[in-house]
Amino acid sequence: MTSVCKEHIEESGNDQRIDNFLFKRLKNIPKSHIYQLLRSGQVRVNGKRIDAKYRLQLGDLLRIPPISDLSNQSPASQTAISPRKIYAFSILHEDDALLVINKPSGMAVHGGSGVSFGVIEQLRMQNPSWKFLELVHRLDRETSGVLLLAKKRNALVELHRQIREGSMKKHYLAMVKGQWRNARQHVKLALNKYVAANGERRVAISPQEQPNSKPAHTIFTLHSAWKSFSLLDAEIKTGRTHQIRVHLAHLGFPILGDDKYGDFEINKQLDKATASYRLTRMFLHAHTLQIAHPVTGITMTLQAPLPEDLRKFVECLDRSETIS
C-alpha cells in the first residue's frame, strides 16, 4: 500500500486483536515491522493510538499508514516466502462453522519463526471464498493429528470458552523410552518458558510459586508396553507449550524422536535404523479431540488415525519385542 488506507471494521474483524488482524491484512509484511508500526502510533483506531492487544470493534475506523510490500522486490526475494508445495490436507470433519484436519508432521500450523507458509496460510489460499478461518488451538510442528479451525468468529469464541473452562478434551499418543509402570498417573508440574543459549525458546519444570510459572496438568494412561518402550495416552487438562514433552522428560520417559527434550543417543540410533524400526520424527500424535459443537451443542469426538510411519514402528515393536 503506497497511500494511507482507512477502513471500517466489519463483522469478520469484530473482537479480533489488532496485531492478528494486520498479520492477515498485510501478509507480505514482516511481523516485526507491523509491531513497530503499532508501537510508533502509525496505526490508529478512531484517530487514537492503540497497542497490539487492542480488540477491534464493529464499526471501528482503522487507519493503516503507507507500507511497501514485496511486490517491488526481486523475484528471488519473493520466492523465499512462496510455498514450494501445496498440501492436500486430510479433512476429518467440515461444516459451516468448523474445519477439522489431520495435520501432517513437519508442518507448522502458521507462519512465523522462520516459517512463512504454515497450515493456516495454505488453507486460506486454497479456499479464497472463505471470509473467516482461524486456528482454534495449535500443535507443535513435529506433532501430527487432529487440528481444529473455526470458519466463523462466534464458533471461535465458543470453542475458546470450552478450552478456558476445560470442557474440551484432548488426547495424544506418545511413545516413550522405558517401561511405564502405572496404569494411570496424574502429573501436575508447573512450567516456565525460557530462552536457551542458542536462542531457542524452551520450557522447563518450575516451582509453581515462581513468577511467570504456569500450572500444568497431564493425565497419562498406559496403552501398550514392550521391553524398551511404552505407548501412552496423554490427556492434557491445561494447554501449555511443550507440556507433554517436558512432563515426560522430567519423569525419565522422554518421547522418542524429541529433538529438544528427548534422549539424543536413542534418537540417533532410531534415525539410522533400517526398515520399519527406523523413526525419523517425534512420536507424538494428537489422536482424539472431544468438543461440544459451537453451534448445535452436540458432543463430537474427532479422531485421527496413526500416520503410516508411526503405525509401522508399532507393528515392528510387536514383532521384535516381547510385550510386557
Side-chain angles (χ1 to χ4, degrees):
M1 298 185 302
T2 58
S3 61
V4 172
C5 174
K6 293 184 178 181
E7 61 179 282
H8 285 93
I9 300 303
E10 299 178 349
E11 184 177 354
S12 62
N14 186 39
D15 198 39
Q16 188 171 1
R17 276 181 48 146
I18 181 66
D19 54 353
N20 292 331
F21 180 89
L22 292 174
F23 294 156
K24 291 191 297 181
R25 183 74 169 77
L26 310 172
K27 293 181 179 178
N28 288 347
I29 306 303
K31 291 183 178 181
S32 59
H33 186 56
I34 291 175
Y35 281 121
Q36 193 277 328
L37 294 174
L38 287 165
R39 287 192 298 269
S40 64
Q42 296 182 65
V43 174
R44 297 195 173 228
V45 176
N46 302 325
K48 299 178 181 179
R49 296 173 66 121
I50 38 85
D51 63 21
K53 296 181 180 179
Y54 176 82
R55 290 190 174 275
L56 294 165
Q57 302 299 311
L58 189 67
D60 276 351
L61 179 61
L62 173 63
R63 176 196 183 274
I64 304 176
I67 301 173
S68 298
D69 61 21
L70 298 182
S71 59
N72 295 324
Q73 295 185 11
S74 66
S77 300
Q78 295 184 38
T79 302
I81 70 158
S82 297
R84 295 183 179 180
K85 176 182 178 182
I86 302 301
Y87 197 91
F89 296 102
S90 173
I91 296 176
L92 303 174
H93 174 83
E94 182 180 1
D95 58 36
D96 291 341
L98 299 178
L99 176 67
V100 188
I101 68 167
N102 186 0
K103 186 189 88 68
S105 174
M107 181 174 291
V109 295
H110 60 77
S113 302
V115 179
S116 61
F117 208 70
V119 171
I120 187 70
E121 288 83 10
Q122 289 213 31
L123 286 169
R124 287 171 180 160
M125 188 189 71
Q126 293 172 17
N127 303 277
S129 63
W130 292 353
K131 295 182 179 180
F132 184 90
L133 185 68
E134 293 291 345
L135 293 161
V136 175
H137 63 113
R138 300 181 182 184
L139 294 176
D140 292 342
R141 185 187 302 187
E142 294 307 314
T143 303
S144 55
V146 182
L147 182 65
L148 180 60
L149 302 98
K151 295 168 67 176
K152 291 185 177 180
R153 177 157 293 280
N154 60 350
L156 179 67
V157 172
E158 164 59 18
L159 291 166
H160 279 172
R161 181 196 66 78
Q162 293 182 34
I163 292 175
R164 288 195 307 271
E165 297 181 3
S167 60
M168 183 181 293
K169 297 181 180 180
K170 301 178 184 177
H171 289 260
Y172 295 71
L173 285 174
M175 183 74 76
V176 301
K177 174 188 176 184
Q179 288 190 333
W180 188 270
R181 297 299 182 186
N182 299 324
R184 184 175 172 87
Q185 181 175 343
H186 287 255
V187 177
K188 297 180 179 179
L189 295 169
L191 302 175
N192 192 29
K193 295 180 181 180
Y194 70 98
V195 179
N198 61 2
E200 287 189 356
R201 289 180 293 178
R202 296 292 182 93
V203 179
I205 300 296
S206 171
Q208 194 159 340
E209 63 273 9
Q210 277 195 356
N212 301 321
S213 68
K214 300 290 185 180
H217 181 190
T218 314
I219 303 174
F220 294 106
T221 303
L222 181 61
H223 186 284
S224 303
W226 297 267
K227 289 190 300 183
S228 306
F229 309 116
S230 301
L231 182 62
L232 306 178
D233 174 283
E235 179 183 357
I236 57 173
K237 309 300 285 186
T238 54
R240 308 302 180 196
T241 301
H242 298 170
Q243 174 177 321
I244 298 173
R245 301 164 67 179
V246 176
H247 275 176
L248 287 171
H250 178 77
L251 295 174
F253 294 89
I255 297 177
L256 302 187
D258 188 343
D259 63 356
K260 289 184 182 293
Y261 311 101
D263 184 313
F264 303 133
E265 182 58 35
I266 197 169
N267 288 349
K268 181 188 292 186
Q269 294 174 14
L270 292 171
D271 184 60
K272 293 181 179 179
T274 58
S276 299
Y277 205 79
R278 188 181 185 202
L279 186 64
T280 61
R281 55 159 287 198
M282 180 171 63
F283 198 126
L284 184 61
H285 178 70
H287 73 92
T288 304
L289 182 67
Q290 188 177 89
I291 64 171
H293 192 282
V295 177
T296 66
I298 296 174
T299 299
M300 301 178 63
T301 300
L302 305 156
Q303 295 182 316
L306 269 180
E308 185 178 7
D309 57 341
L310 301 187
R311 180 177 54 79
K312 287 183 176 180
F313 183 79
V314 173
E315 291 173 352
C316 186
L317 290 182
D318 288 341
R319 292 193 301 268
S320 62
E321 293 204 2
T322 302
I323 297 180
S324 301

